Amino acid sequence: MSTTLTIETPTGTVHATAGPRRTDSVVFELHGAMRGSVHVTGTQHPRYWDQFTAVRACLGPVDAYETTATLTAVLRACADSVAQRDDLPLILDASRLRKTPGLLRFLNWASAHAYAEAVRCEAESQSARPARKAAVAAWWTVARWFTAHPHPLLMLADRDDSLARLIHVMEWQGPYYATAAAEERARADKYRGEVESLRAQQQRGRTRRRGTQAYPGTKETV
């Protein structure tokens, strides 16, 4: 049984009629102040890539529309309608099945990139310590020279390329890169955890579908 939504927008009334579920999506045909179609499908949580708990609405081919206020209202109404359907778990599960291979590729890359950044930041943090000590030692050497010869004053002043400026930079570089390394490692661990979660869901899906195909027309790729 189809669902027809009546959506009031700033440019007039839009009627959106839902067609039958297409494995992992529902398509609404638009009439009235806006024509075209809206596709609503399942998608992952915006902060947790392994959790398919949301729906996403996108605009299909459109003949004409006057303002984006209209567009926002239509997309939101269609998405809310699908979010309340009894077969929403089937839509979300099929969407997860379709998107998992691409998400795994992205998360594996993101995890490796974050780990590489963590290693780089840790190296920067480690190198900042001896560099700071060397700069401090050089500053004191110049300071001793200055007691007899005032000309090196410019090297002690806080100006570009001076020892004082170099020491100032070295003071914050160590803690900064140590914090950045910890953040990158935490981000890499999060991505790795989401990879493991998606693979576990993928394996459970294979077990459920063994001997039968729960969602006709959907093929799983790894």
Side-chain angles (χ1 to χ4, degrees):
M1 182 176 181
S2 63
T3 299
T4 299
L5 307 177
T6 299
I7 309 161
E8 299 299 333
T9 77
T11 57
T13 301
V14 176
H15 300 285
T17 302
R21 178 171 58 88
R22 300 182 180 180
T23 306
D24 68 339
S25 64
V26 175
V27 178
F28 290 81
E29 295 299 330
L30 307 180
H31 304 280
M34 187 175 191
R35 295 184 179 276
S37 60
V38 170
H39 292 245
V40 182
T41 186
T43 191
Q44 70 274 3
H45 188 282
R47 293 183 61 187
Y48 302 99
W49 295 72
D50 60 322
Q51 301 300 317
F52 278 73
T53 57
V55 294
R56 182 183 65 197
C58 59
L59 192 65
V62 175
D63 294 333
Y65 63 91
E66 294 182 9
T67 65
T68 57
T70 300
L71 174 59
T72 300
V74 170
L75 292 178
R76 181 178 293 114
C78 292
D80 290 344
S81 175
V82 171
Q84 298 172 21
R85 289 172 62 111
D86 292 337
D87 59 354
L88 177 62
L90 300 180
I91 295 173
L92 295 175
D93 198 28
S95 299
R96 177 193 56 76
L97 177 65
R98 174 175 58 82
K99 296 187 68 175
T100 288
L103 282 174
L104 287 174
R105 288 192 295 271
F106 166 75
L107 290 171
N108 279 319
W109 171 85
S111 177
H113 177 74
Y115 275 126
E117 281 296 294
V119 171
R120 183 185 68 81
C121 290
E122 287 168 348
E124 292 281 0
S125 178
Q126 292 294 329
S127 65
R129 294 189 181 97
R132 180 180 61 84
K133 290 181 179 179
V136 170
W139 193 95
W140 280 110
T141 298
V142 175
R144 285 190 293 269
W145 289 345
F146 178 67
T147 58
H149 307 283
H151 301 291
L153 176 61
L154 292 178
M155 298 184 66
L156 298 175
D158 187 7
R159 54 185 294 276
D160 291 345
D161 301 324
S162 68
L163 289 173
R165 183 64 58 85
L166 179 61
I167 292 171
H168 176 71
V169 171
M170 293 297 108
E171 287 286 350
W172 67 259
Q173 270 193 344
Y176 169 82
Y177 280 114
T179 300
E183 291 174 350
E184 289 294 343
R185 285 199 175 276
R187 187 174 295 111
D189 290 340
K190 175 180 179 293
Y191 290 146
R192 177 52 52 189
E194 290 174 341
V195 167
E196 293 172 356
S197 174
L198 280 172
R199 289 197 183 281
Q201 294 178 63
Q202 198 176 46
Q203 184 59 41
R204 288 196 298 270
R206 291 195 189 101
T207 302
R208 286 198 305 269
R209 291 188 298 277
R210 189 169 296 159
T212 182
Q213 190 171 353
Y215 309 112
T218 300
K219 295 182 178 179
E220 182 171 6
T221 58
V222 180

